[in-house]
Amino acid sequence: MIDKIIECARGAGEIALGYFRSGDRLRMENKLNDSDIVTTADRESEEYIKDFIRKNFPSHSILSEETGTTAGSDNEVRWVVDPIDGTTNFFAGIPLWAISIGVEIGGVTEYGVVYLPATGELFHARRGCGAFLNGQPIHVSAETRLSRSVISTGFPVDKDTNPDNNLDNFAAVLPHVRDMRRLGSAAADLCYTAAGILGGFWELGLHEWDVCAGALIVKEAGGSISRFRSDRGVCIVCGAPEIYNQLKKLIK
Ligand code: IPD
């Protein structure tokens, strides 16, 4: 199963990479507002992934960013798909964007694959079997001090109208960390935390497809992760266990 998901992510990555920094070939449309965008590459990547699932696992259900729920005859197995996580980076020509595919069985994420085609990094995890970057085992940071950690976050796409925009948390955390980053792809934030590159990450206003695969990868790499708030989409905080404990106390 994991080999099939990796094959699928690589296929979608190749399609998206063909559009990366391609100038006029890449069309963009707004969704909610000027910050919320979709491109030709998102749509083609998603079409490829859905075709791949239909051909290889015709009974499985799918939740994907651009087309929502596609019910299969088997509702026990659900693929949770972000065809390009980090579309703003992708469209701007910044190489941090990812194909993110998680597979849930009976509501529990069993497999996760996050592929960053422009950097050549492929993360994968199977529940109970560890997490890997390009086939090598990864582990969260051994650092225990928040003050020596680089932490990342992000800002919700409705920030133009909703003042509940995470700046309060940003201000609360900033004085306590080595530095902050805004990578622009929640899947990359999660995987870089899993690999010990970042000490931790939090964000609010996310969706299931942004976090499904990456959350499993964090857990399997020995990280701590939980959801907070229930009124602002998917809100997630994670990190190396000691860092997570300190970070969690600062955000709301
Ligand atoms: C976005 C990225 C970004 C996060 C946004 C997400 P998308 O995903 O994960 O880091 O801040 O909230 O929507 O829309 O590019 O798949």
Side-chain angles (χ1 to χ4, degrees):
M1 186 73 188
I2 197 73
D3 290 343
K4 275 287 176 198
I5 306 170
I6 290 173
E7 183 189 333
C8 179
R10 285 200 188 278
E14 206 171 302
I15 291 170
L17 207 47
Y19 282 103
F20 187 55
R21 298 182 180 168
S22 68
D24 289 348
R25 277 186 61 233
L26 185 62
R27 296 275 143 83
M28 181 275 280
E29 288 161 43
N30 293 320
K31 295 199 279 187
L32 191 65
N33 55 33
D34 277 347
S35 300
D36 195 15
I37 62 172
V38 58
T39 72
T40 331
D42 295 75
R43 294 200 202 285
E44 286 190 19
S45 169
E46 182 158 315
E47 215 173 281
Y48 172 89
I49 294 168
K50 289 180 76 174
D51 269 3
F52 185 97
I53 300 167
R54 240 177 262 128
K55 279 184 196 131
N56 289 277
F57 306 98
S59 63
H60 291 179
S61 302
I62 306 168
L63 173 69
S64 50
E65 179 171 16
E66 309 308 338
T67 50
T69 296
T70 308
S73 57
D74 182 355
N75 286 320
E76 270 293 287
V77 188
R78 183 170 81 149
W79 292 57
V80 183
V81 173
D82 195 336
I84 295 184
D85 181 62
T87 304
T88 298
N89 280 351
F90 181 85
F91 189 64
I94 299 164
L96 282 174
W97 49 274
I99 317 297
S100 174
I101 306 177
V103 176
E104 299 172 341
I105 303 179
V108 176
T109 309
E110 294 288 342
Y111 305 93
V113 171
V114 172
Y115 177 40
L116 286 82
T119 66
E121 294 163 305
L122 190 139
F123 295 86
H124 84 266
R126 181 181 172 185
R127 191 166 70 92
C129 298
F132 301 83
L133 164 55
N134 293 342
Q136 298 303 311
I138 51 172
H139 205 272
V140 291
S141 169
E143 181 56 64
T144 57
R145 286 154 297 192
L146 187 57
S147 60
R148 295 191 177 185
S149 301
V150 178
I151 302 296
S152 70
T153 190
F155 302 99
V157 286
D158 61 1
K159 60 187 165 33
D160 56 338
T161 52
N162 192 340
D164 185 10
N165 57 16
N166 201 28
L167 276 180
D168 52 350
N169 287 327
F170 194 97
V173 173
L174 184 65
H176 302 283
V177 299
R178 173 164 286 162
D179 207 349
M180 289 292 314
R181 292 291 179 268
R182 198 286 194 241
L183 299 189
S185 158
D189 290 297
L190 290 163
C191 290
Y192 281 13
T193 301
I197 297 165
L198 296 170
F201 161 67
W202 89 89
E203 189 163 350
L204 43 85
L206 292 168
H207 298 91
E208 297 298 339
W209 47 77
D210 298 315
V211 303
C212 181
L216 177 66
I217 293 167
V218 169
K219 277 185 218 155
E220 289 299 321
S224 301
I225 183 162
S226 65
R227 294 197 178 194
F228 65 103
R229 292 180 62 163
S230 51
D231 60 335
R232 197 74 173 98
V234 173
C235 303
I236 216 148
V237 52
C238 70
E242 293 283 342
I243 305 299
Y244 162 86
N245 287 335
Q246 294 162 66
L247 196 53
K248 205 166 172 264
K249 287 188 192 129
L250 295 168
I251 60 171
K252 54 182 170 47

